[in-house]
Amino acid sequence: QLTLVESGGGLVEPGGSLRLSCTASGFTLDYYAIGWFRQAPGKEREGVLCSSNGGTSTNYADSVKGRFTISRGYAKNTVYLQMNSLKPEDTGVYYCAAHYLGNCLGRFDYWGQGTQVTVSS
């Protein structure tokens, strides 16, 4: 079983930045599409960004374009979500998910437990 662990969440003021990490235990993520999702209080989960196993990225949400960036750290079995110019509406629980040999529009088989991101003054 692939186990994913998110980290890096916390409290940040509007306009600030956070870098979230998604780390796999016991496996490389080279063959996985990795997606970042979030769920705001009282709202449904939405996709944020995704990195395919081929290295291409997909923006799920137009609201994060130009502010969020996904990247891979293969040696560390880790995928990062760099979040800049954070807004209060970015608040939520952020999850990473993996799809073996899949693409960013397919079903994600493995999910982390999430990390809380709070953007507030």
Side-chain angles (χ1 to χ4, degrees):
Q1 287 274 19
L2 176 67
T3 300
L4 301 175
V5 178
E6 303 96 337
S7 63
L11 175 64
V12 63
E13 293 188 4
S17 298
L18 285 174
R19 189 184 73 167
L20 306 183
S21 299
C22 175
T23 301
S25 297
F27 296 88
T28 177
L29 293 175
D30 291 13
Y31 300 140
Y32 294 82
I34 304 297
W36 283 97
F37 301 82
R38 67 185 181 187
Q39 186 167 20
K43 296 184 178 180
E44 295 185 356
R45 185 181 64 199
E46 66 172 344
V48 180
L49 277 171
C50 180
S51 174
S52 74
N53 61 298
T56 59
S57 62
T58 297
N59 290 99
Y60 291 134
D62 290 340
S63 62
V64 309
K65 287 184 177 180
R67 300 190 297 121
F68 291 10
T69 303
I70 192 169
S71 61
R72 289 178 179 262
Y74 294 107
K76 300 179 180 179
N77 293 332
T78 302
V79 175
Y80 302 99
L81 181 66
Q82 179 67 46
M83 306 187 297
N84 299 323
S85 302
L86 284 163
K87 305 174 181 179
E89 51 262 43
D90 294 319
T91 294
V93 179
Y94 283 70
Y95 302 89
C96 66
H99 183 192
Y100 182 65
L101 297 180
N103 58 54
C104 292
L105 299 178
R107 179 183 182 273
F108 287 87
D109 304 299
Y110 306 97
W111 292 80
Q113 295 183 356
T115 184
Q116 176 70 43
V117 173
T118 303
V119 185
S120 176
S121 298

